[in-house]
Amino acid sequence: MIELSLPAGPLEVLCVGAHPDDIEIACGGTLLELAAARDVRATFVMLTGSPERRLEAAAAAEAFVPGSEVRFWDLPDGRLPAHWGEVKAAIEELASSLRPDLVLCPSKTDSHQDHRLVAELVPTAWRDALVLEYEIPKWDGDLGRVTHYVPVSAENARRKVSLLTTSYPSQVDRDWWDAETFLGLMRLRGVECRRQYAEGFVIRKAVLTLGE
C-alpha cells in the first residue's frame, strides 16, 4: 500500500469525543503510537460526562498521552442535537484558542446522534487541520469502509485494551466491553492494510503535495 506521513516536528493533536471513552476506544492505539514516536502535545475534549466518568476520562488521557490537557463540557448525554447551539459554541470556543495539526473526531456516518453532530461541526472549526474521523464499534452495526489506516504494534494494541479496562472501570460490565471486541476490530483493520493490527479512519478532505 502507498504510505503517507505527517509533517516532521512537534505535533499538536486535538481529540474530540462526545462522551468519555469514545476517543480511547476508537483511536487509543493511534495515540499510543504517536506518543511513542513523536513530540506530541494533546488536548482531549469531551462534551458530556458525569463526575465519575470525567475522573475516568482524565486518567485515561494521562495514561494514553502523558501530559495531555483535558477539557469537559456539561451537556446532556444522548441529546446533543437538541443542544446544537451549545455544542457549536463549545467547538467555536475551542477553535479560538487551539490550532491543532491533527484532529481526531467521530465519523459523520456514525449512528449515534451525539457522535454525528460532533463530526459535522468539527471540520467547520478547523479547516486547516488534518481531520481523521474515527470509528466506534457498537450495537448499531454502523462500521463501514475506511480510507486510511494507522498500524498499531501488537504491544500497543494490547496496551490499549489494558488501559481501557483500568481507566474506565464503570464500563467493564457492558456486554460488549472486552478484549475480543477491541482487538478484533484492530485485527480486521490490520488485515486490510497488511499489518497485524491497525485502526481505521476516514479523511474527507486533504491536499496531496507532489514532488520533493
Side-chain angles (χ1 to χ4, degrees), residues 135 143 149-154 157-158 160-161 179-200:
E135 56 182 353
L143 298 177
Y149 302 86
V150 175
V152 177
S153 69
R158 294 186 177 90
K160 168 185 172 176
V161 174
E180 289 184 346
T181 299
F182 303 131
L183 286 174
L185 179 55
M186 285 190 286
R187 180 69 186 112
L188 287 172
R189 293 311 187 197
V191 168
E192 293 171 3
C193 66
R194 293 182 175 172
R195 298 292 198 279
Q196 185 174 6
Y197 295 106
E199 290 176 335

PDB file of all heavy atoms in Angstrom, residues 135 143 149-154 157-158 160-161 179-200:
ATOM      1  N   GLU A 135     -13.736   5.485  14.185  1.00  0.00           N
ATOM      2  CA  GLU A 135     -14.896   4.589  14.235  1.00  0.00           C
ATOM      3  C   GLU A 135     -15.004   3.958  15.617  1.00  0.00           C
ATOM      4  O   GLU A 135     -14.003   3.666  16.268  1.00  0.00           O
ATOM      5  CB  GLU A 135     -14.797   3.507  13.151  1.00  0.00           C
ATOM      6  CG  GLU A 135     -13.526   2.676  13.218  1.00  0.00           C
ATOM      7  CD  GLU A 135     -13.439   1.642  12.114  1.00  0.00           C
ATOM      8  OE1 GLU A 135     -14.422   1.457  11.364  1.00  0.00           O
ATOM      9  OE2 GLU A 135     -12.373   0.991  12.000  1.00  0.00           O
ATOM     10  N   LEU A 143     -20.288   0.124  11.303  1.00  0.00           N
ATOM     11  CA  LEU A 143     -18.930   0.187  10.774  1.00  0.00           C
ATOM     12  C   LEU A 143     -18.957   0.074   9.255  1.00  0.00           C
ATOM     13  O   LEU A 143     -19.635  -0.782   8.687  1.00  0.00           O
ATOM     14  CB  LEU A 143     -18.075  -0.936  11.357  1.00  0.00           C
ATOM     15  CG  LEU A 143     -17.881  -0.909  12.875  1.00  0.00           C
ATOM     16  CD1 LEU A 143     -17.064  -2.119  13.320  1.00  0.00           C
ATOM     17  CD2 LEU A 143     -17.206   0.382  13.311  1.00  0.00           C
ATOM     18  N   TYR A 149      -5.385   4.077   7.298  1.00  0.00           N
ATOM     19  CA  TYR A 149      -5.073   3.162   8.395  1.00  0.00           C
ATOM     20  C   TYR A 149      -3.840   3.645   9.153  1.00  0.00           C
ATOM     21  O   TYR A 149      -2.908   4.182   8.555  1.00  0.00           O
ATOM     22  CB  TYR A 149      -4.778   1.754   7.865  1.00  0.00           C
ATOM     23  CG  TYR A 149      -5.900   1.148   7.068  1.00  0.00           C
ATOM     24  CD1 TYR A 149      -6.030   1.409   5.697  1.00  0.00           C
ATOM     25  CD2 TYR A 149      -6.832   0.299   7.669  1.00  0.00           C
ATOM     26  CE1 TYR A 149      -7.060   0.853   4.965  1.00  0.00           C
ATOM     27  CE2 TYR A 149      -7.868  -0.265   6.935  1.00  0.00           C
ATOM     28  CZ  TYR A 149      -7.973   0.016   5.579  1.00  0.00           C
ATOM     29  OH  TYR A 149      -8.989  -0.532   4.853  1.00  0.00           O
ATOM     30  N   VAL A 150      -3.851   3.434  10.457  1.00  0.00           N
ATOM     31  CA  VAL A 150      -2.663   3.650  11.275  1.00  0.00           C
ATOM     32  C   VAL A 150      -2.266   2.303  11.867  1.00  0.00           C
ATOM     33  O   VAL A 150      -2.999   1.758  12.706  1.00  0.00           O
ATOM     34  CB  VAL A 150      -2.918   4.663  12.407  1.00  0.00           C
ATOM     35  CG1 VAL A 150      -1.695   4.757  13.318  1.00  0.00           C
ATOM     36  CG2 VAL A 150      -3.247   6.033  11.838  1.00  0.00           C
ATOM     37  N   PRO A 151      -1.141   1.726  11.434  1.00  0.00           N
ATOM     38  CA  PRO A 151      -0.697   0.460  12.025  1.00  0.00           C
ATOM     39  C   PRO A 151      -0.417   0.617  13.516  1.00  0.00           C
ATOM     40  O   PRO A 151       0.125   1.635  13.958  1.00  0.00           O
ATOM     41  CB  PRO A 151       0.587   0.133  11.253  1.00  0.00           C
ATOM     42  CG  PRO A 151       0.443   0.869   9.951  1.00  0.00           C
ATOM     43  CD  PRO A 151      -0.274   2.145  10.309  1.00  0.00           C
ATOM     44  N   VAL A 152      -0.778  -0.400  14.280  1.00  0.00           N
ATOM     45  CA  VAL A 152      -0.574  -0.411  15.723  1.00  0.00           C
ATOM     46  C   VAL A 152       0.202  -1.679  16.069  1.00  0.00           C
ATOM     47  O   VAL A 152      -0.184  -2.778  15.663  1.00  0.00           O
ATOM     48  CB  VAL A 152      -1.922  -0.388  16.482  1.00  0.00           C
ATOM     49  CG1 VAL A 152      -1.699  -0.469  17.983  1.00  0.00           C
ATOM     50  CG2 VAL A 152      -2.709   0.871  16.121  1.00  0.00           C
ATOM     51  N   SER A 153       1.280  -1.528  16.796  1.00  0.00           N
ATOM     52  CA  SER A 153       2.071  -2.694  17.170  1.00  0.00           C
ATOM     53  C   SER A 153       1.252  -3.613  18.068  1.00  0.00           C
ATOM     54  O   SER A 153       0.303  -3.184  18.733  1.00  0.00           O
ATOM     55  CB  SER A 153       3.343  -2.258  17.901  1.00  0.00           C
ATOM     56  OG  SER A 153       3.027  -1.711  19.177  1.00  0.00           O
ATOM     57  N   ALA A 154       1.643  -4.883  18.102  1.00  0.00           N
ATOM     58  CA  ALA A 154       0.951  -5.839  18.970  1.00  0.00           C
ATOM     59  C   ALA A 154       1.041  -5.391  20.426  1.00  0.00           C
ATOM     60  O   ALA A 154       0.068  -5.510  21.190  1.00  0.00           O
ATOM     61  CB  ALA A 154       1.543  -7.232  18.799  1.00  0.00           C
ATOM     62  N   ALA A 157      -1.410  -2.523  20.844  1.00  0.00           N
ATOM     63  CA  ALA A 157      -2.793  -2.993  20.736  1.00  0.00           C
ATOM     64  C   ALA A 157      -3.243  -3.579  22.075  1.00  0.00           C
ATOM     65  O   ALA A 157      -4.345  -3.282  22.570  1.00  0.00           O
ATOM     66  CB  ALA A 157      -2.912  -4.035  19.635  1.00  0.00           C
ATOM     67  N   ARG A 158      -2.377  -4.385  22.677  1.00  0.00           N
ATOM     68  CA  ARG A 158      -2.730  -4.994  23.974  1.00  0.00           C
ATOM     69  C   ARG A 158      -2.688  -3.951  25.088  1.00  0.00           C
ATOM     70  O   ARG A 158      -3.482  -4.021  26.039  1.00  0.00           O
ATOM     71  CB  ARG A 158      -1.793  -6.157  24.259  1.00  0.00           C
ATOM     72  CG  ARG A 158      -1.976  -7.319  23.274  1.00  0.00           C
ATOM     73  CD  ARG A 158      -1.151  -8.535  23.634  1.00  0.00           C
ATOM     74  NE  ARG A 158      -1.422  -9.615  22.694  1.00  0.00           N
ATOM     75  CZ  ARG A 158      -0.749  -9.824  21.566  1.00  0.00           C
ATOM     76  NH1 ARG A 158       0.241  -9.019  21.237  1.00  0.00           N
ATOM     77  NH2 ARG A 158      -1.073 -10.809  20.758  1.00  0.00           N
ATOM     78  N   LYS A 160      -3.488  -0.837  24.717  1.00  0.00           N
ATOM     79  CA  LYS A 160      -4.747  -0.104  24.580  1.00  0.00           C
ATOM     80  C   LYS A 160      -5.858  -0.804  25.337  1.00  0.00           C
ATOM     81  O   LYS A 160      -6.606  -0.169  26.105  1.00  0.00           O
ATOM     82  CB  LYS A 160      -5.127   0.023  23.101  1.00  0.00           C
ATOM     83  CG  LYS A 160      -6.549   0.512  22.859  1.00  0.00           C
ATOM     84  CD  LYS A 160      -6.908   0.507  21.384  1.00  0.00           C
ATOM     85  CE  LYS A 160      -8.382   0.801  21.170  1.00  0.00           C
ATOM     86  NZ  LYS A 160      -8.744   0.893  19.729  1.00  0.00           N
ATOM     87  N   VAL A 161      -5.993  -2.109  25.155  1.00  0.00           N
ATOM     88  CA  VAL A 161      -7.044  -2.867  25.826  1.00  0.00           C
ATOM     89  C   VAL A 161      -6.876  -2.801  27.335  1.00  0.00           C
ATOM     90  O   VAL A 161      -7.842  -2.599  28.089  1.00  0.00           O
ATOM     91  CB  VAL A 161      -7.053  -4.324  25.330  1.00  0.00           C
ATOM     92  CG1 VAL A 161      -8.051  -5.156  26.129  1.00  0.00           C
ATOM     93  CG2 VAL A 161      -7.381  -4.378  23.842  1.00  0.00           C
ATOM     94  N   ALA A 179     -11.691  -7.661  25.530  1.00  0.00           N
ATOM     95  CA  ALA A 179     -10.507  -7.652  24.666  1.00  0.00           C
ATOM     96  C   ALA A 179     -10.831  -8.130  23.259  1.00  0.00           C
ATOM     97  O   ALA A 179     -10.253  -7.635  22.275  1.00  0.00           O
ATOM     98  CB  ALA A 179      -9.412  -8.526  25.284  1.00  0.00           C
ATOM     99  N   GLU A 180     -11.758  -9.073  23.131  1.00  0.00           N
ATOM    100  CA  GLU A 180     -12.090  -9.592  21.799  1.00  0.00           C
ATOM    101  C   GLU A 180     -12.663  -8.501  20.909  1.00  0.00           C
ATOM    102  O   GLU A 180     -12.362  -8.437  19.712  1.00  0.00           O
ATOM    103  CB  GLU A 180     -13.074 -10.757  21.923  1.00  0.00           C
ATOM    104  CG  GLU A 180     -12.451 -12.017  22.505  1.00  0.00           C
ATOM    105  CD  GLU A 180     -13.423 -13.183  22.531  1.00  0.00           C
ATOM    106  OE1 GLU A 180     -14.642 -12.943  22.351  1.00  0.00           O
ATOM    107  OE2 GLU A 180     -12.971 -14.315  22.726  1.00  0.00           O
ATOM    108  N   THR A 181     -13.519  -7.651  21.471  1.00  0.00           N
ATOM    109  CA  THR A 181     -14.097  -6.555  20.681  1.00  0.00           C
ATOM    110  C   THR A 181     -13.012  -5.617  20.190  1.00  0.00           C
ATOM    111  O   THR A 181     -12.920  -5.311  18.988  1.00  0.00           O
ATOM    112  CB  THR A 181     -15.105  -5.763  21.532  1.00  0.00           C
ATOM    113  OG1 THR A 181     -16.165  -6.620  21.936  1.00  0.00           O
ATOM    114  CG2 THR A 181     -15.670  -4.589  20.733  1.00  0.00           C
ATOM    115  N   PHE A 182     -12.183  -5.148  21.097  1.00  0.00           N
ATOM    116  CA  PHE A 182     -11.201  -4.128  20.743  1.00  0.00           C
ATOM    117  C   PHE A 182     -10.072  -4.693  19.869  1.00  0.00           C
ATOM    118  O   PHE A 182      -9.696  -4.089  18.863  1.00  0.00           O
ATOM    119  CB  PHE A 182     -10.637  -3.497  22.011  1.00  0.00           C
ATOM    120  CG  PHE A 182     -11.694  -2.901  22.896  1.00  0.00           C
ATOM    121  CD1 PHE A 182     -11.734  -3.180  24.255  1.00  0.00           C
ATOM    122  CD2 PHE A 182     -12.664  -2.058  22.384  1.00  0.00           C
ATOM    123  CE1 PHE A 182     -12.709  -2.635  25.076  1.00  0.00           C
ATOM    124  CE2 PHE A 182     -13.662  -1.513  23.199  1.00  0.00           C
ATOM    125  CZ  PHE A 182     -13.670  -1.800  24.547  1.00  0.00           C
ATOM    126  N   LEU A 183      -9.551  -5.855  20.246  1.00  0.00           N
ATOM    127  CA  LEU A 183      -8.502  -6.465  19.435  1.00  0.00           C
ATOM    128  C   LEU A 183      -9.043  -6.948  18.095  1.00  0.00           C
ATOM    129  O   LEU A 183      -8.358  -6.880  17.072  1.00  0.00           O
ATOM    130  CB  LEU A 183      -7.852  -7.629  20.183  1.00  0.00           C
ATOM    131  CG  LEU A 183      -6.918  -7.264  21.339  1.00  0.00           C
ATOM    132  CD1 LEU A 183      -6.476  -8.529  22.066  1.00  0.00           C
ATOM    133  CD2 LEU A 183      -5.704  -6.488  20.844  1.00  0.00           C
ATOM    134  N   GLY A 184     -10.294  -7.448  18.103  1.00  0.00           N
ATOM    135  CA  GLY A 184     -10.878  -7.978  16.871  1.00  0.00           C
ATOM    136  C   GLY A 184     -10.987  -6.918  15.788  1.00  0.00           C
ATOM    137  O   GLY A 184     -10.632  -7.164  14.628  1.00  0.00           O
ATOM    138  N   LEU A 185     -11.471  -5.727  16.149  1.00  0.00           N
ATOM    139  CA  LEU A 185     -11.586  -4.669  15.153  1.00  0.00           C
ATOM    140  C   LEU A 185     -10.212  -4.228  14.672  1.00  0.00           C
ATOM    141  O   LEU A 185     -10.000  -4.032  13.466  1.00  0.00           O
ATOM    142  CB  LEU A 185     -12.356  -3.480  15.726  1.00  0.00           C
ATOM    143  CG  LEU A 185     -12.534  -2.291  14.774  1.00  0.00           C
ATOM    144  CD1 LEU A 185     -13.191  -2.717  13.456  1.00  0.00           C
ATOM    145  CD2 LEU A 185     -13.344  -1.185  15.445  1.00  0.00           C
ATOM    146  N   MET A 186      -9.266  -4.096  15.589  1.00  0.00           N
ATOM    147  CA  MET A 186      -7.914  -3.714  15.164  1.00  0.00           C
ATOM    148  C   MET A 186      -7.279  -4.787  14.280  1.00  0.00           C
ATOM    149  O   MET A 186      -6.529  -4.471  13.350  1.00  0.00           O
ATOM    150  CB  MET A 186      -7.036  -3.449  16.388  1.00  0.00           C
ATOM    151  CG  MET A 186      -7.331  -2.133  17.094  1.00  0.00           C
ATOM    152  SD  MET A 186      -6.088  -1.708  18.362  1.00  0.00           S
ATOM    153  CE  MET A 186      -6.535  -2.878  19.657  1.00  0.00           C
ATOM    154  N   ARG A 187      -7.590  -6.035  14.553  1.00  0.00           N
ATOM    155  CA  ARG A 187      -7.049  -7.119  13.719  1.00  0.00           C
ATOM    156  C   ARG A 187      -7.635  -7.056  12.315  1.00  0.00           C
ATOM    157  O   ARG A 187      -6.917  -7.219  11.316  1.00  0.00           O
ATOM    158  CB  ARG A 187      -7.359  -8.477  14.364  1.00  0.00           C
ATOM    159  CG  ARG A 187      -6.835  -9.659  13.555  1.00  0.00           C
ATOM    160  CD  ARG A 187      -5.321  -9.720  13.573  1.00  0.00           C
ATOM    161  NE  ARG A 187      -4.819 -10.779  12.685  1.00  0.00           N
ATOM    162  CZ  ARG A 187      -4.146 -10.570  11.559  1.00  0.00           C
ATOM    163  NH1 ARG A 187      -3.866  -9.332  11.161  1.00  0.00           N
ATOM    164  NH2 ARG A 187      -3.733 -11.582  10.839  1.00  0.00           N
ATOM    165  N   LEU A 188      -8.942  -6.831  12.202  1.00  0.00           N
ATOM    166  CA  LEU A 188      -9.563  -6.741  10.882  1.00  0.00           C
ATOM    167  C   LEU A 188      -9.002  -5.569  10.094  1.00  0.00           C
ATOM    168  O   LEU A 188      -8.719  -5.693   8.892  1.00  0.00           O
ATOM    169  CB  LEU A 188     -11.081  -6.609  11.029  1.00  0.00           C
ATOM    170  CG  LEU A 188     -11.817  -7.873  11.462  1.00  0.00           C
ATOM    171  CD1 LEU A 188     -13.275  -7.547  11.748  1.00  0.00           C
ATOM    172  CD2 LEU A 188     -11.715  -8.946  10.386  1.00  0.00           C
ATOM    173  N   ARG A 189      -8.846  -4.403  10.731  1.00  0.00           N
ATOM    174  CA  ARG A 189      -8.261  -3.256  10.029  1.00  0.00           C
ATOM    175  C   ARG A 189      -6.806  -3.534   9.687  1.00  0.00           C
ATOM    176  O   ARG A 189      -6.303  -3.052   8.664  1.00  0.00           O
ATOM    177  CB  ARG A 189      -8.391  -1.992  10.883  1.00  0.00           C
ATOM    178  CG  ARG A 189      -9.832  -1.515  11.088  1.00  0.00           C
ATOM    179  CD  ARG A 189     -10.608  -1.443   9.802  1.00  0.00           C
ATOM    180  NE  ARG A 189     -11.924  -0.827   9.981  1.00  0.00           N
ATOM    181  CZ  ARG A 189     -12.920  -0.933   9.111  1.00  0.00           C
ATOM    182  NH1 ARG A 189     -12.783  -1.662   8.007  1.00  0.00           N
ATOM    183  NH2 ARG A 189     -14.077  -0.323   9.331  1.00  0.00           N
ATOM    184  N   GLY A 190      -6.143  -4.330  10.512  1.00  0.00           N
ATOM    185  CA  GLY A 190      -4.779  -4.719  10.181  1.00  0.00           C
ATOM    186  C   GLY A 190      -4.716  -5.584   8.940  1.00  0.00           C
ATOM    187  O   GLY A 190      -3.836  -5.403   8.084  1.00  0.00           O
ATOM    188  N   VAL A 191      -5.642  -6.524   8.813  1.00  0.00           N
ATOM    189  CA  VAL A 191      -5.703  -7.365   7.615  1.00  0.00           C
ATOM    190  C   VAL A 191      -5.844  -6.498   6.365  1.00  0.00           C
ATOM    191  O   VAL A 191      -5.202  -6.742   5.336  1.00  0.00           O
ATOM    192  CB  VAL A 191      -6.881  -8.357   7.716  1.00  0.00           C
ATOM    193  CG1 VAL A 191      -7.143  -9.028   6.375  1.00  0.00           C
ATOM    194  CG2 VAL A 191      -6.607  -9.393   8.790  1.00  0.00           C
ATOM    195  N   GLU A 192      -6.667  -5.452   6.466  1.00  0.00           N
ATOM    196  CA  GLU A 192      -6.943  -4.604   5.306  1.00  0.00           C
ATOM    197  C   GLU A 192      -5.723  -3.801   4.854  1.00  0.00           C
ATOM    198  O   GLU A 192      -5.657  -3.375   3.695  1.00  0.00           O
ATOM    199  CB  GLU A 192      -8.107  -3.659   5.620  1.00  0.00           C
ATOM    200  CG  GLU A 192      -9.429  -4.400   5.808  1.00  0.00           C
ATOM    201  CD  GLU A 192     -10.533  -3.505   6.322  1.00  0.00           C
ATOM    202  OE1 GLU A 192     -10.306  -2.283   6.480  1.00  0.00           O
ATOM    203  OE2 GLU A 192     -11.639  -4.019   6.576  1.00  0.00           O
ATOM    204  N   CYS A 193      -4.768  -3.575   5.761  1.00  0.00           N
ATOM    205  CA  CYS A 193      -3.576  -2.809   5.365  1.00  0.00           C
ATOM    206  C   CYS A 193      -2.300  -3.634   5.507  1.00  0.00           C
ATOM    207  O   CYS A 193      -1.193  -3.083   5.540  1.00  0.00           O
ATOM    208  CB  CYS A 193      -3.473  -1.507   6.162  1.00  0.00           C
ATOM    209  SG  CYS A 193      -3.191  -1.709   7.940  1.00  0.00           S
ATOM    210  N   ARG A 194      -2.459  -4.954   5.590  1.00  0.00           N
ATOM    211  CA  ARG A 194      -1.339  -5.880   5.653  1.00  0.00           C
ATOM    212  C   ARG A 194      -0.445  -5.633   6.867  1.00  0.00           C
ATOM    213  O   ARG A 194       0.773  -5.592   6.765  1.00  0.00           O
ATOM    214  CB  ARG A 194      -0.533  -5.846   4.354  1.00  0.00           C
ATOM    215  CG  ARG A 194      -1.315  -6.392   3.173  1.00  0.00           C
ATOM    216  CD  ARG A 194      -0.508  -6.412   1.908  1.00  0.00           C
ATOM    217  NE  ARG A 194      -1.255  -7.063   0.830  1.00  0.00           N
ATOM    218  CZ  ARG A 194      -0.854  -7.098  -0.438  1.00  0.00           C
ATOM    219  NH1 ARG A 194       0.286  -6.529  -0.784  1.00  0.00           N
ATOM    220  NH2 ARG A 194      -1.579  -7.702  -1.348  1.00  0.00           N
ATOM    221  N   ARG A 195      -1.076  -5.444   7.994  1.00  0.00           N
ATOM    222  CA  ARG A 195      -0.395  -5.354   9.273  1.00  0.00           C
ATOM    223  C   ARG A 195      -1.109  -6.285  10.240  1.00  0.00           C
ATOM    224  O   ARG A 195      -2.207  -6.760   9.957  1.00  0.00           O
ATOM    225  CB  ARG A 195      -0.437  -3.923   9.819  1.00  0.00           C
ATOM    226  CG  ARG A 195       0.250  -2.901   8.953  1.00  0.00           C
ATOM    227  CD  ARG A 195       1.761  -3.093   8.908  1.00  0.00           C
ATOM    228  NE  ARG A 195       2.444  -1.902   8.432  1.00  0.00           N
ATOM    229  CZ  ARG A 195       2.566  -1.586   7.135  1.00  0.00           C
ATOM    230  NH1 ARG A 195       2.027  -2.359   6.215  1.00  0.00           N
ATOM    231  NH2 ARG A 195       3.229  -0.487   6.791  1.00  0.00           N
ATOM    232  N   GLN A 196      -0.503  -6.520  11.396  1.00  0.00           N
ATOM    233  CA  GLN A 196      -1.194  -7.365  12.373  1.00  0.00           C
ATOM    234  C   GLN A 196      -2.380  -6.619  12.968  1.00  0.00           C
ATOM    235  O   GLN A 196      -3.490  -7.148  13.038  1.00  0.00           O
ATOM    236  CB  GLN A 196      -0.236  -7.810  13.474  1.00  0.00           C
ATOM    237  CG  GLN A 196      -0.896  -8.787  14.451  1.00  0.00           C
ATOM    238  CD  GLN A 196       0.070  -9.353  15.465  1.00  0.00           C
ATOM    239  OE1 GLN A 196       1.229  -8.951  15.534  1.00  0.00           O
ATOM    240  NE2 GLN A 196      -0.397 -10.297  16.274  1.00  0.00           N
ATOM    241  N   TYR A 197      -2.142  -5.392  13.404  1.00  0.00           N
ATOM    242  CA  TYR A 197      -3.201  -4.567  13.971  1.00  0.00           C
ATOM    243  C   TYR A 197      -3.152  -3.173  13.369  1.00  0.00           C
ATOM    244  O   TYR A 197      -2.088  -2.682  12.978  1.00  0.00           O
ATOM    245  CB  TYR A 197      -3.051  -4.445  15.497  1.00  0.00           C
ATOM    246  CG  TYR A 197      -3.213  -5.742  16.255  1.00  0.00           C
ATOM    247  CD1 TYR A 197      -2.103  -6.388  16.797  1.00  0.00           C
ATOM    248  CD2 TYR A 197      -4.467  -6.316  16.433  1.00  0.00           C
ATOM    249  CE1 TYR A 197      -2.246  -7.576  17.502  1.00  0.00           C
ATOM    250  CE2 TYR A 197      -4.618  -7.505  17.132  1.00  0.00           C
ATOM    251  CZ  TYR A 197      -3.501  -8.130  17.657  1.00  0.00           C
ATOM    252  OH  TYR A 197      -3.655  -9.307  18.348  1.00  0.00           O
ATOM    253  N   ALA A 198      -4.298  -2.529  13.309  1.00  0.00           N
ATOM    254  CA  ALA A 198      -4.376  -1.149  12.823  1.00  0.00           C
ATOM    255  C   ALA A 198      -5.688  -0.539  13.290  1.00  0.00           C
ATOM    256  O   ALA A 198      -6.616  -1.246  13.696  1.00  0.00           O
ATOM    257  CB  ALA A 198      -4.284  -1.089  11.300  1.00  0.00           C
ATOM    258  N   GLU A 199      -5.752   0.780  13.235  1.00  0.00           N
ATOM    259  CA  GLU A 199      -7.008   1.495  13.442  1.00  0.00           C
ATOM    260  C   GLU A 199      -7.354   2.219  12.154  1.00  0.00           C
ATOM    261  O   GLU A 199      -6.464   2.700  11.437  1.00  0.00           O
ATOM    262  CB  GLU A 199      -6.880   2.470  14.615  1.00  0.00           C
ATOM    263  CG  GLU A 199      -6.789   1.736  15.942  1.00  0.00           C
ATOM    264  CD  GLU A 199      -6.574   2.613  17.144  1.00  0.00           C
ATOM    265  OE1 GLU A 199      -6.031   3.735  16.992  1.00  0.00           O
ATOM    266  OE2 GLU A 199      -6.938   2.188  18.256  1.00  0.00           O
ATOM    267  N   GLY A 200      -8.658   2.263  11.852  1.00  0.00           N
ATOM    268  CA  GLY A 200      -9.112   2.834  10.589  1.00  0.00           C
ATOM    269  C   GLY A 200      -9.748   4.196  10.777  1.00  0.00           C
ATOM    270  O   GLY A 200     -10.393   4.466  11.800  1.00  0.00           O
TER     271      GLY A 200
END
